[in-house]
């Protein structure tokens, strides 16, 4: 965004156990509303969810291929269908863009840069593509090169406070993505750090995400999770 960061460190919270999706959304939305009113500090909240499908505002019903497999939640974030579940690190990012340049496009660009920088710590070259939201990796499939999605991005901004955020595939069950058309894209697959042959734990991923976040957005401080 190239805008001066506000003074004061951003809260950094990690939930040690999976958090139910409706409870997490309610807590996140309440925190973002408080940030918009100047009543709460900025926060990044790392967590996992029980297995579920979520739909963004542009999701098509035809992209939900197996509606009986997991609970399905409709949300107000950008994007289409995605899967959340164990082994996937979700990061809800609640920042005050009034203090960060009021640049939504720049904010999304910074989220992409954050994920790419975190992946680089594992020697994984993450890339972005016009018309395809998220972060992608190129893989050799015999003599062909294919591109698989390794991280999703879906955001909402209200009164210049951000919420929702990113999801990095560390070691989820990738077969669960077959119940949807992930992000409405049929021509490409989904991968994870472990699927790429890397013995990465969630703690390793958290460390990389934390270091890379501070490079892009500024210093953090430990903070309690909202719930």
């Amino acid at each position: 965004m190239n805008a001066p960061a506000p003074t004061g460190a951003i809260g950094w919270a990690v939930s040690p156990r999976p958090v139910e999706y409706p409870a997490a959304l309610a807590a996140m939305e309440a925190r973002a509303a408080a940030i918009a009113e100047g009543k709460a500090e900025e926060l990044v909240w790392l967590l996992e969810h029980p297995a579920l499908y979520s739909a963004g505002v542009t999701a098509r019903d035809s992209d939900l291929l197996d509606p009986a497999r997991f609970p399905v939640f409709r949300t107000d974030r950008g994007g289409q269908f995605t899967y959340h579940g164990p082994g996937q690190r979700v990061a809800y990012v609640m920042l005050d863009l009034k203090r960060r340049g009021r640049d939504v496009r720049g904010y999304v660009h910074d989220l992409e840069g954050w994920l790419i920088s975190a992946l680089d710590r594992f020697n994984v070259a993450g890339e972005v593509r016009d018309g395809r939201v998220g972060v992608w990796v190129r893989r050799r499939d015999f003599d062909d090169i294919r591109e698989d999605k390794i991280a999703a991005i879906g955001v909402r901004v209200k009164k210049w406070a951000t919420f929702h955020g990113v999801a990095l595939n560390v070691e989820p069950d990738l077969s669960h993505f077959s119940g949807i058309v992930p992000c409405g894209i049929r021509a490409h697959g989904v991968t994870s750090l472990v699927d790429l042959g890397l013995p990465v734990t969630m703690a390793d991923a958290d460390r990389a995400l934390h270091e890379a976040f501070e490079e892009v957005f500024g210093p953090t401080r430990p903070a309690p999770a909202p719930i």
Side-chain angles (χ1 to χ4, degrees):
M1 288 186 291
N2 299 319
T7 58
I10 300 165
W12 187 269
V14 182
S15 288
R17 290 175 295 279
V19 181
E20 294 291 336
Y21 196 69
L25 260 60
M28 173 184 62
E29 291 170 358
R31 180 61 174 256
I35 290 170
E37 295 171 2
K39 297 178 180 179
E41 296 299 319
E42 296 177 308
L43 181 70
V44 179
W45 181 18
L46 273 60
L47 68 158
E48 293 175 271
H49 287 304
L52 63 98
Y53 295 130
S54 75
V57 294
T58 58
R60 299 184 293 264
D61 289 344
S62 60
D63 287 344
L64 180 59
L65 306 179
D66 189 358
R69 184 181 297 194
F70 298 124
V72 179
F73 296 93
R74 305 280 174 172
T75 75
D76 57 1
R77 63 164 172 80
Q80 302 185 40
F81 277 104
T82 194
Y83 164 76
H84 293 313
Q88 182 190 72
R89 178 52 89 203
V90 173
Y92 290 133
V93 184
M94 293 157 273
L95 301 181
D96 184 358
L97 293 190
K98 292 193 300 291
R99 304 161 65 194
R100 295 175 177 273
R102 299 177 188 249
D103 183 354
V104 176
R105 186 182 299 273
Y107 169 63
V108 173
H109 176 76
D110 284 350
L111 292 178
E112 295 169 341
W114 169 32
L115 290 166
I116 289 170
S117 180
L119 290 169
D120 186 61
R121 285 160 165 77
F122 302 110
N123 295 315
V124 173
E127 299 177 296
V128 295
R129 293 288 182 266
D130 288 341
R132 281 195 262 140
V133 178
V135 177
W136 302 78
V137 295
R138 287 187 281 182
R139 309 179 68 183
R140 182 170 293 280
D141 187 4
F142 296 101
D143 293 330
D144 296 325
I145 299 294
R146 75 175 194 264
E147 294 184 342
D148 289 344
K149 191 171 195 175
I150 195 167
I153 298 173
V155 303
R156 178 78 193 275
V157 179
K158 188 174 183 180
K159 296 182 179 179
W160 295 109
T162 71
F163 49 114
H164 294 283
V166 306
L168 173 65
N169 294 332
V170 181
E171 192 180 6
D173 185 339
L174 296 178
S175 70
H176 293 328
F177 285 93
S178 66
I180 55 173
V181 178
C183 300
I185 299 172
R186 297 177 182 270
H188 300 277
V190 180
T191 190
S192 69
L193 288 166
V194 171
D195 183 55
L196 293 174
L198 300 168
V200 177
T201 67
M202 192 64 75
D204 296 330
D206 285 353
R207 189 177 307 109
L209 286 167
H210 190 199
E211 292 173 356
F213 183 89
E214 291 196 322
E215 287 181 354
V216 176
F217 290 96
T220 65
R221 58 174 179 76
I227 56 173

